[in-house]
Amino acid sequence: MAKRPNRGGAPLDPAGPCPCGTGQPYASCCGRLHRGEAEAATAEALMRSRFSAFAVGDTAYLLRSWHPSTRPARLRLDPGQRWTRLDILDTERGGLFDSTGTVAFRAHYRQAGRPGTLTEHSRFTRDDGRWTYLDALPD
């Protein structure tokens, strides 16, 4: 399997650790979701896979995993921003038997050599057994 470039331009080894932070290899963790071989089982799993999609620059997956009612027509990622770590702060619902859920997280990145963080409380919904990102809750 070929290495994929991430947003920072460095290659991502599919056998290396997944950017989402589970410690599993990317190919068998979020890579399966990005390739369409599996669906996220929970809202948190979708959140992790979306973070990894930002980290590897997979805009097609980000758009596919976005709810149609809030999905933008196009998505352009900043090539100078490299997503480095994800911390899950809290989850509410979003389990195997839920149809909605929220995930609070802190995503770490580097831009122009400087560290930064994005903190968000995201809403997810499950329709026909498939989780999608809906939007961010206001602060």
Side-chain angles (χ1 to χ4, degrees):
M1 197 177 287
K3 292 184 179 183
R4 296 182 61 170
N6 69 15
R7 293 309 313 153
L12 175 68
D13 182 354
C18 190
C20 79
T22 61
Q24 298 177 16
Y26 169 74
S28 59
C29 189
C30 293
R32 295 177 328 117
L33 281 68
H34 295 172
R35 293 186 307 272
E37 298 170 1
E39 294 285 341
T42 65
E44 181 180 330
L46 183 64
M47 177 63 243
R48 288 181 178 279
S49 71
R50 286 178 56 82
F51 173 83
S52 290
F54 275 103
V56 302
D58 191 342
T59 56
Y61 179 78
L62 290 166
L63 290 169
R64 274 195 325 270
S65 62
W66 211 313
H67 194 273
S69 69
T70 57
R71 177 176 47 221
R74 291 187 195 109
L75 182 61
R76 183 179 177 278
L77 301 180
D78 182 345
Q81 191 171 44
R82 189 171 62 88
W83 296 95
T84 58
R85 190 177 90 231
L86 176 67
D87 299 323
I88 300 296
L89 305 175
D90 189 32
T91 60
E92 293 178 25
R93 301 182 44 121
L96 298 173
F97 302 108
D98 296 317
S99 59
T100 62
T102 64
V103 179
F105 67 92
R106 182 172 299 116
H108 301 263
Y109 63 88
R110 292 195 69 81
Q111 188 161 19
R114 297 175 194 254
T117 60
L118 167 72
T119 303
E120 184 175 301
H121 196 171
S122 298
R123 289 192 311 163
F124 297 87
T125 185
R126 186 166 62 176
D127 299 308
D128 297 325
R130 184 173 173 265
W131 285 103
T132 55
Y133 168 76
L134 186 59
D135 59 13
L137 292 169
D139 291 332

